[in-house]
């Protein structure tokens, strides 16, 4: 997969510096300021730490939730806040901006940069609250009956807050193995933002040896999720008065035939598989979510658009499924359409796509995360995350974070306080492990 590589010059300079320094196996001046712990005893290091107020996870959550980082907005206020917070502990951040310069991913390392270590990753954007019936202000976190309410509490600022609040512990531990942070943007609109950061990381000689994405799994360890491919089809018809219908090409009707065909593929996948019963939905699903067409009943509609998606199991080829749909449209329907109007037909555009995740249950990152989470088994989930993309650049990745996906994206989104406490204990054990 290829990604655009244009970076603001400051990002480029930082990246090159990091790369060069890592290659020479010595600390990267641009990323590891004086005071960065390098596994030396803590006393001297503490004197070098600049003053940053320590915050509890709950205080940090309150701060993060107050930034309206709906994907359509800039996330830079939140990123600047995190950068300044890290800076206060003497930890330098690498920002990777998008092409507009209004959004950024953040990458930072605590500890030595010449070893792999573990990366904690999450997205900073949230889904919109438009049209949702909230009982409190979604941007002001409210604690009630052991639950913390607010947009992003479960998906996934709760995790980010616990990670950030644990920073003093990670620093004090003087990790011998590095901890990396990778905070992304535009996850909720198709895992778009992180790709630029990963395109850079892909070529680093020293990459994180494993990654934990903190999407809500109720602190279970998830090793696999489905992949997704979503598309928009534009049906080009031919307009005329509806009383002369045979002289037109009805875009809505042809769209309906394809939507029905998609439904047939969905039924086939549900009936015939392939199956993996470790997933909550154990087969590949096909779904049409949006359709627009026509202007008035007495006009044969010229245009119709619809959006559809495949959420596929590992081993299922989404291109083959799309090829089947496209073949039906262009070989079965299009000749009939063109006999009436030569300009009629179909155009297709990919909306988004991300690969599935499929990490071995006996991979080192899996066993490490299981021991940190103190769980015995692993799970698989239907929803997508950035984990598949991270795995794709050669970093074994699992998902483990506080909260339940059932509360994500909904009004009155919440995370149980007990989940946050479990995540804090996870970070304590991780700090101890990295110090060894
Ligand atoms: Zn998420």
């Amino acid at each position: 997969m290829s990604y655009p590589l244009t970076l603001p010059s400051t990002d480029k300079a930082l990246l090159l510096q990091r790369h060069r320094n890592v290659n020479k196996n010595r600390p990267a001046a641009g990323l590891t300021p004086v005071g960065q712990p390098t596994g030396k005893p803590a006393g001297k290091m503490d004197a070098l730490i600049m003053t940053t107020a320590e915050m509890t996870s709950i205080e940090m959550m309150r701060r993060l939730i107050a930034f309206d980082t709906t994907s359509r907005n800039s996330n830079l206020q939140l990123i600047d806040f995190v950068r300044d917070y890290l800076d206060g502990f003497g930890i330098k951040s690498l920002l990777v901006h998008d092409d507009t310069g209004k959004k950024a991913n953040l990458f930072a390392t605590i500890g030595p940069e010449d070893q792999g270590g573990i990366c904690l990753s999450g997205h900073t954007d949230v889904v919109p609250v438009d049209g949702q019936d909230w009982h409190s202000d979604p941007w002001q976190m409210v604690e009630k009956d052991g639950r913390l309410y607010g947009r992003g509490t479960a998906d996934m600022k709760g995790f980010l807050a616990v990670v950030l609040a644990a920073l003093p512990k990670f620093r004090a531990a003087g990790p011998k193995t590095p901890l990396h942070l990778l905070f992304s943007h535009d996850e909720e609109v198709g895992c778009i933002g992180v790709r630029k950061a990963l395109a850079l990381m892909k070529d680093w000689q020293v990459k994180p040896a494993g990654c934990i994405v903190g999407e809500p799994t109720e602190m279970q360890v998830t090793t696999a999720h489905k992949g997704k491919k979503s598309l928009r089809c534009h049906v080009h018809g031919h307009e005329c008065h509806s009383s002369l219908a045979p002289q037109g090409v009805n875009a809505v009707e042809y769209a309906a035939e394809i939507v029905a065909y998609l439904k047939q593929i969905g039924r086939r996948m549900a009936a015939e598989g392939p199956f993996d019963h470790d997933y909550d939905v154990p087969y590949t699903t096909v779904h049409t979510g949006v359709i627009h067409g026509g202007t008035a009943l007495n006009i044969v509609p010229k245009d119709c658009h619809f959006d559809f998606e495949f959420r596929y199991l590992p081993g299922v080829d989404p291109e083959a499924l799309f090829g089947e749909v496209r073949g039906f449209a262009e070989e079965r329907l299009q000749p009939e359409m063109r006999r009436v109007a030569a300009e009629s037909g179909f155009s297709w555009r990919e909306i988004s796509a991300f690969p599935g995740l499929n990490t071995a249950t006996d991979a080192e990152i899996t066993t490490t995360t299981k021991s940190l989470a103190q769980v015995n088994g692993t799970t698989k989930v239907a929803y997508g995350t950035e984990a598949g993309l991270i795995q794709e650049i050669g970093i074994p990745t699992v998902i483990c974070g506080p909260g339940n996906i059932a509360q994500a994206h909904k009004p009155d989104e919440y995370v149980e306080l007990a989940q946050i406490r479990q995540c804090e204990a996870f970070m304590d054990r991780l700090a101890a492990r990295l110090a060894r």
Side-chain angles (χ1 to χ4, degrees):
M1 212 177 281
S2 68
Y3 307 113
L5 266 170
T6 38
L7 288 172
S9 55
T10 48
D11 291 347
K12 226 176 248 171
L14 267 173
L15 170 80
L16 292 172
Q17 197 167 34
R18 180 187 175 88
H19 204 75
R20 190 163 56 238
N21 286 318
V22 166
N23 290 350
K24 286 185 184 164
N25 203 14
R26 61 184 164 82
L31 288 165
T32 314
V34 178
Q36 171 92 357
T38 53
K40 294 190 193 91
K44 191 176 172 196
M45 182 180 83
D46 286 346
L48 293 166
I49 297 176
M50 284 173 274
T51 48
T52 281
E54 293 188 11
M55 279 188 234
T56 65
S57 306
I58 307 301
E59 285 162 354
M60 184 60 83
M61 267 179 91
R62 202 179 299 285
R63 296 294 296 271
L64 297 185
I65 291 204
F67 295 106
D68 176 358
T69 52
T70 306
S71 309
R72 62 180 171 239
N73 299 338
S74 166
N75 75 334
L76 288 186
Q77 280 188 329
L78 183 150
I79 289 290
D80 287 349
F81 165 77
V82 173
R83 185 199 54 202
D84 292 347
Y85 173 82
L86 294 174
D87 209 42
F89 292 102
I91 301 162
K92 287 292 171 212
S93 305
L94 167 66
L95 302 191
V96 181
H97 289 85
D98 75 346
D99 292 342
T100 69
K102 290 182 181 147
K103 297 180 183 184
N105 301 292
L106 178 147
F107 184 86
T109 298
I110 301 143
E113 288 192 353
D114 56 353
Q115 299 166 39
I118 287 188
C119 182
L120 300 176
S121 179
H123 59 85
T124 60
D125 60 319
V126 294
V127 294
V129 297
D130 308 332
Q132 294 187 339
D133 187 16
W134 282 73
H135 290 90
S136 59
D137 180 345
W139 313 110
Q140 298 273 332
M141 194 173 79
V142 174
E143 187 175 346
K144 197 175 165 226
D145 304 329
R147 292 174 173 176
L148 300 157
Y149 289 87
R151 172 55 85 223
T153 45
D155 186 12
M156 55 181 292
K157 290 176 174 173
F159 175 79
L160 300 183
V162 174
V163 170
L164 291 173
L167 267 193
K169 286 180 201 160
F170 287 120
R171 291 238 26 201
K176 293 189 174 61
T177 308
L179 177 75
H180 312 277
L181 309 183
L182 173 59
F183 291 3
S184 68
H185 65 88
D186 281 338
E187 189 270 353
E188 297 289 6
V189 287
C191 300
I192 291 169
V194 77
R195 293 171 199 243
K196 201 158 174 180
L198 296 178
L200 301 175
M201 291 172 72
K202 181 164 67 96
D203 297 325
W204 288 354
Q205 290 203 345
V206 180
K207 282 194 287 242
C211 179
I212 302 166
V213 175
E215 291 277 359
T217 62
E218 294 199 304
M219 297 308 292
Q220 297 300 305
V221 179
T222 295
T223 56
H225 68 66
K226 290 181 177 177
K228 175 184 163 185
K229 181 179 178 70
S230 62
L231 294 125
R232 175 162 301 162
C233 176
H234 181 179
V235 184
H236 307 273
H238 184 76
E239 208 167 44
C240 71
H241 193 286
S242 62
S243 64
L244 304 172
Q247 294 174 21
V249 176
N250 189 319
V252 168
E253 289 177 359
Y254 284 107
E257 289 199 76
I258 302 171
V259 172
Y261 189 82
L262 285 162
K263 177 71 182 166
Q264 273 180 42
I265 297 179
R267 284 202 186 97
R268 187 182 79 214
M269 301 311 280
E272 298 170 18
F275 298 104
D276 182 340
H277 290 283
D278 289 341
Y279 284 92
D280 40 3
V281 180
Y283 47 84
T284 297
T285 56
V286 187
H287 149 90
T288 305
V290 179
I291 187 162
H292 293 292
T295 51
L297 185 57
N298 59 3
I299 302 173
V300 171
K302 179 164 136 321
D303 294 293
C304 188
H305 306 83
F306 61 95
D307 297 351
F308 61 101
E309 66 174 27
F310 304 103
R311 289 188 181 257
Y312 56 94
L313 290 179
V316 171
D317 178 9
E319 297 307 324
L321 290 174
F322 172 49
E324 206 181 317
V325 178
R326 190 171 182 161
F328 170 75
E330 295 180 356
E331 287 157 32
R332 295 267 301 278
L333 304 180
Q334 193 166 273
E336 181 182 271
M337 296 160 75
R338 291 206 168 156
R339 278 199 287 277
V340 178
E343 78 277 16
S344 55
F346 305 93
S347 45
W348 312 86
R349 182 169 76 75
E350 184 173 285
I351 300 169
S352 71
F354 54 75
L357 173 72
N358 203 11
T359 298
T361 49
D362 61 354
E364 197 180 334
I365 188 66
T366 310
T367 50
T368 299
T369 311
K370 277 166 67 181
S371 90
L372 295 172
Q374 297 189 327
V375 297
N376 294 321
T378 58
T379 61
K380 299 181 179 183
V381 295
Y383 64 87
T385 75
E386 296 167 335
L389 289 164
I390 299 170
Q391 181 188 43
E392 212 172 50
I393 65 157
I395 302 173
T397 301
V398 296
I399 311 167
C400 181
N404 190 315
I405 196 71
Q407 274 89 54
H409 298 200
K410 284 192 184 164
D412 297 334
E413 176 179 349
Y414 68 86
V415 66
E416 302 274 354
L417 186 57
Q419 285 285 306
I420 296 298
R421 298 296 179 229
Q422 269 191 49
C423 191
E424 287 172 337
F426 179 104
M427 296 303 159
D428 288 347
R429 289 188 282 267
L430 177 58
R433 189 182 187 100
L434 296 175
R436 291 208 295 262

